[in-house]
Amino acid sequence: MIARWLLLFVLPFALLCGGKALAAEPYAGPLFDAHLHFNVEAYEGPHPLSDVLPRLKRAGVRAVLANSRPNAGTHELAASPAVRAAGITVVPFVRLYRNRADYTGWFADPSIHQMVLDELARGTAAGPFRGLGEFHLYESANADGPVARSLMKLSAEMGLWVLAHVDDEAIVRLMAHEPRARLIWAHTGIGGTPIERVRELLARYPQLMGELSYRPGLTVGEGRLEGEWRELLSQHSERFLIGSDTWTPSRWPQYEALMAEARRWLGDLPPAAARRIAWGNGQRMFGLPEP
Ligand SMILES: [Zn+2]
C-alpha cells in the first residue's frame, strides 16, 4: 500500500521537481541591445528619457545600438549625462527616416542621401556615427534603388555597419553592390526565412550578422530556444545579436520583459555562446568598454 502511494504521488512530484531543476538558468550578464529606437512618439509622448533610462538600467542593458526617427532621439541619448553616468554606451546609427513617409521611398530619394551625409558630418555627442539604418525594403528589388546602392558604397568606404530589415533576396542584392559591406540583418528574416537559408547566407557573407528580435520560430513553449536554432546559435555564436526593437511606444512598457525573454532563451545556450550573443559580439564590433 505504501509502495503504491509512493509510486502514485511522491515519485511524479519528485520527477517534476527534478525536471524543473534541470531547466537552464537565464543568462545573467550584461546586454547589448542591438536594435533600439527612441522615436518621436516615445520621447514627446509617454516615454521620455526619464522613463526610458530606468528601464534600460533595470534590464541590465549596458550598451545600445540607437537609431531613431528622427535622428534627434539618438542625439538626445548620445548627449545625456544621465545615460553616461549609468554606464550605458550609446552606439549611434543614422536613421534614414525623418518621418513615416520616408519608409517607402528612401532608396530612391536624393534628399535622404544628403541628410545622411549631413548627419555623418555632424556626428553625435557620444562620438561619430557607427552605422546606417535601420532601413526597410518591403520589396527586395528596391535594394537596387540608386540611394540604396550609394549608401552601401558609402558605408563600406567609411567602415560603417548597416542595419537592414529585409528579406534574404535583398541581402544578396545589397551584398552584390558592395561585397565589403558590414551588414546586420535586422530580425534575421522576419518573414520566416528557412533556417537553412540563414545558414547559407552566413557562410556566404562572413561579415553578415543576425539580430534576433521578432524572429519567428526562435523560441517554443515557454520561451525556450527551439532545437534547430539552439544548434545554429551554438555553432555560430559569433554571428548573432539580441535586440528590443522599440519601434512603437507600446514596446517601452514591455522593455524589461523583452530583455527577460532574451535572457531566458540565452540560458539554453552554452554560457560562452550566450555571453557572445548578449554582449561580446557587440563589444567586438563597436569596441564597447568592459561592463
Ligand atoms: Zn526596428
Side-chain angles (χ1 to χ4, degrees):
M1 195 64 193
I2 288 175
R4 195 164 170 211
W5 183 82
L6 272 174
L7 209 62
L8 280 177
F9 298 102
V10 179
L11 191 61
F13 183 70
L15 283 174
L16 194 70
C17 294
K20 276 218 168 127
L22 285 175
E25 288 294 313
Y27 167 79
L31 294 178
F32 171 57
D33 179 350
H35 194 143
L36 182 136
H37 305 289
F38 187 42
N39 290 341
V40 62
E41 298 88 356
Y43 63 74
E44 284 187 357
H47 304 291
L49 191 54
S50 57
D51 172 81
V52 160
L53 180 57
R55 293 182 191 280
L56 298 179
K57 287 203 242 179
R58 286 196 295 269
V61 167
R62 302 304 301 275
V64 297
L65 189 165
N67 72 107
S68 314
R69 169 181 48 78
N71 285 298
T74 295
H75 285 293
E76 185 183 351
L77 282 169
S80 163
V83 170
R84 207 170 318 124
I88 296 173
T89 302
V90 175
V91 177
F93 272 42
V94 181
R95 191 89 200 249
L96 307 193
Y97 311 143
R98 299 152 297 194
N99 50 53
R100 291 218 56 113
D102 285 341
Y103 278 59
T104 47
W106 66 269
F107 40 83
D109 182 344
S111 73
I112 298 236
H113 192 258
Q114 189 55 50
M115 183 267 283
V116 170
L117 295 179
D118 293 346
E119 286 288 351
L120 290 174
R122 176 182 172 199
T124 78
F129 281 100
R130 307 297 305 275
L132 305 182
E134 180 194 23
F135 63 67
H136 299 72
L137 288 171
Y138 299 114
E139 281 180 45
S140 337
N142 289 331
D144 297 338
V147 173
R149 277 174 193 271
S150 68
L151 288 181
M152 289 303 288
K153 289 255 179 274
L154 179 73
S155 63
E157 279 158 18
M158 295 185 67
L160 300 169
W161 284 89
V162 172
L163 179 61
H165 173 140
V166 297
D167 65 9
D168 53 317
E169 191 194 328
I171 293 281
V172 173
R173 286 174 186 255
L174 291 171
M175 293 307 271
H177 301 324
E178 188 41 84
R180 296 171 299 169
R182 303 200 275 182
L183 206 59
I184 304 170
W185 191 3
H187 320 297
T188 318
I190 198 166
T193 307
I195 197 161
E196 275 319 303
R197 178 69 167 155
V198 173
R199 225 178 241 287
E200 188 192 322
L201 293 177
L202 287 174
R204 190 159 155 192
Y205 306 116
Q207 306 220 85
L208 179 65
M209 299 289 293
E211 182 275 315
L212 293 165
S213 62
Y214 279 113
R215 168 63 219 200
L218 180 69
T219 59
V220 287
E222 291 173 5
R224 311 314 309 200
L225 204 48
E226 187 277 329
E228 280 187 72
W229 274 100
R230 188 168 62 228
E231 204 184 310
L232 178 64
L233 297 185
S234 302
Q235 282 171 355
H236 297 290
S237 58
E238 75 291 355
R239 306 295 295 278
F240 290 95
L241 301 159
I242 62 121
S244 62
D245 195 3
T246 46
W247 65 282
T248 178
S250 66
R251 290 286 273 184
W252 280 111
Q254 303 171 34
Y255 191 83
E256 292 101 306
L258 288 167
M259 292 296 104
E261 279 171 24
R263 289 185 181 281
R264 191 178 318 130
W265 63 253
L266 283 166
D268 293 334
L269 290 166
R275 169 100 185 182
R276 275 193 282 276
I277 294 169
W279 175 261
N281 294 335
Q283 185 176 42
R284 183 189 75 234
M285 292 159 72
F286 299 110
L288 303 177
E290 279 306 310

